[in-house]
């Protein structure tokens, strides 16, 4: 064992990728409908992304944050402009972006003299990352078990319960952090009513509203930012995963209201805003504009929902109706059938999927997929479910 045992990896060695496909060490091709867990927005080995990375690597790979450099400055300008926020902080992953957002919220209250306002309110079902601060904001006990004591100053409110927010947002709350679509808990979409009530109460009570768009953002919801879909604007947005199409990056976008929370020395990251991931992210933004990717995502989403709904109706003992938003989709599996076994069967059939929450299949394909990719995925999935049904019959 040369890797610590943190992932239950499938018995598959990937050597290359091309578009929506991954290729293993035997040359077998797989249709990738999990996209590196919602990372490969433009698919694998996109030539323009590869070229942007190579060109930047030939010019400047690292100068640190003691100086200005063009890729980070341009990317910050692009993201701020496109989101309507005021300023960006760069780091290297989703969990780091949430750590930075939590610190920004607390420091903002501190600078205003509100020293009691320290609580970060998160939602039941939430997942915000694996580092200790983000883990303290993560509700699911299975991620937390064995890592206590976690930092103090975190509390939870029921997801999608607008009434519960009235009591939960009190004078101790610095920020409410919400995933507009909860990915890890099994793809649960926030209601507009919940997010709008959160906005209203946060405004009334001097609390910041943070949207964790790490999984559902960067075009996956059918708009660059998920908040655009809901029509509710947060004070802070965290993004990561898909932004640099496979290179490590995380970003905190802050509205004007709280951007002054941080002053020099308050926070930092050696590699944050490094030129190569920033160049990849800039290429991603340019290409998504050229492809009109939001339009593609909405069309493919309709097709995927339609095909999965028909499949679920044809196998009512095994599958429930799909749920989700854009190209972050879940298909619940009924006991005694198991999502994890269907994922394994799908892999044998040449389709890569994920699972999430309790007994749920998760789809987060590259956003560039074609209508025939959707058709092919659903026919491979049908085969996989049929195989699971016959092997479950043999097992019992
Ligand atoms: C909503 C959400 N927040 C935070 C994270 C953590 O991101 P990372 O794994 O890049 O630290 C994830 C990862 O799955 C996520 O889905």
């Amino acid at each position: 064992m040369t890797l610590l045992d943190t992932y239950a990896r499938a018995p598959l060695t990937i050597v290359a990728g091309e578009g929506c496909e991954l290729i293993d060490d035997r040359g077998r091709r797989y249709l990738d409908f999990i996209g590196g867990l919602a990372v490969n927005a433009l698919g694998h080995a996109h030539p323009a992304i590869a070229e942007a990375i190579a060109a930047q690597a030939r010019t400047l790979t690292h100068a640190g944050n003691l100086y200005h450099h063009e890729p980070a400055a341009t990317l910050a300008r692009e993201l701020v402009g496109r989101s309507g926020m005021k300023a960006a902080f760069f780091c290297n992953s989703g969990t780091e972006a949430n750590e930075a957002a939590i610190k920004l919220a607390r420091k903002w209250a501190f600078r205003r003299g509100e020293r009691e306002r320290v609580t970060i309110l998160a939602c039941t079902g939430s997942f915000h990352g694996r580092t200790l601060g983000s883990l303290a904001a993560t509700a699911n006990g299975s991620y937390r078990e064995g890592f206590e004591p976690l930092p103090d100053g975190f509390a939870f409110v029921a997801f999608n319960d607008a009434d519960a927010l009235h009591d939960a947002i009190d004078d101790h709350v610095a920020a409410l952090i919400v995933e507009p679509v909860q990915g890890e808990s099994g793809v649960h979409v926030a209601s507009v009513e919940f997010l709008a009530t959160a906005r209203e109460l946060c405004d009334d009570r001097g609390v910041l509203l943070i949207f964790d768009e790490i999984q559902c953002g960067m075009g996956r919801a059918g708009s660059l930012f998920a908040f655009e879909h809901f029509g509710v604007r947060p004070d802070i947005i965290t993004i990561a995963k898909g932004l640099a199409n496979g290179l490590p990056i995380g970003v905190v976008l802050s509205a004007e209201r709280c951007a002054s929370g941080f002053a020099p020395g308050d926070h930092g990251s050696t590699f944050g805003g490094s030129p190569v991931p920033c160049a990849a992210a800039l290429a991603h933004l340019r290409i998504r504009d050229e492809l009109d990717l939001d339009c593609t995502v909405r069309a493919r989403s309709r097709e995927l929902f339609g095909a999965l709904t028909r499949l679920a109706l044809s196998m009512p003992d095994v599958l429930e109706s799909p749920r989700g938003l854009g190209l972050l989709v879940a298909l619940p599996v009924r006991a005694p059938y198991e999502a994890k076994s269907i994922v394994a069967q799908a892999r044998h059939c040449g389709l890569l999927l994920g699972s999430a929450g309790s007994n749920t299949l998760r789809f987060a394909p590259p956003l560039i997929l074609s209508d025939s990719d959707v058709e092919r995925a659903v026919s491979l999935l049908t085969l996989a479910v049929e195989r699971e049904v016959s092997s479950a019959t043999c097992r019992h």
Side-chain angles (χ1 to χ4, degrees), residues 373-385:
D373 291 326
V374 173
E375 266 175 47
R376 199 172 129 217
V378 177
S379 66
L380 291 171
L381 175 63
T382 308
L383 207 62
V385 177

Side-chain angles (χ1 to χ4, degrees), residues 168-186:
I169 299 180
D170 63 22
D171 293 347
H172 294 281
V173 175
L176 168 64
I177 182 165
V178 186
E179 293 158 83
V181 183
Q182 290 189 337
E184 296 305 302
S185 75

Side-chain angles (χ1 to χ4, degrees), residues 134-151:
S134 301
L135 190 58
T138 291
N140 188 330
S142 69
Y143 296 109
R144 301 163 62 102
E145 191 183 35
F147 297 114
E148 280 103 356
L150 294 172

Side-chain angles (χ1 to χ4, degrees), residues 33 88 97 128 193 214 311:
F33 259 55
H128 295 296
E193 187 207 358
I214 287 159
L311 178 62

Side-chain angles (χ1 to χ4, degrees), residues 160 162 165 180 189-199 211 227-232:
N160 268 347
L165 285 172
V189 183
S191 69
V192 171
E193 187 207 358
F194 182 68
L195 297 181
T197 306
R199 179 67 281 171
F211 279 3
F227 81 81
E228 299 171 77
H229 168 85
F230 296 90
V232 175

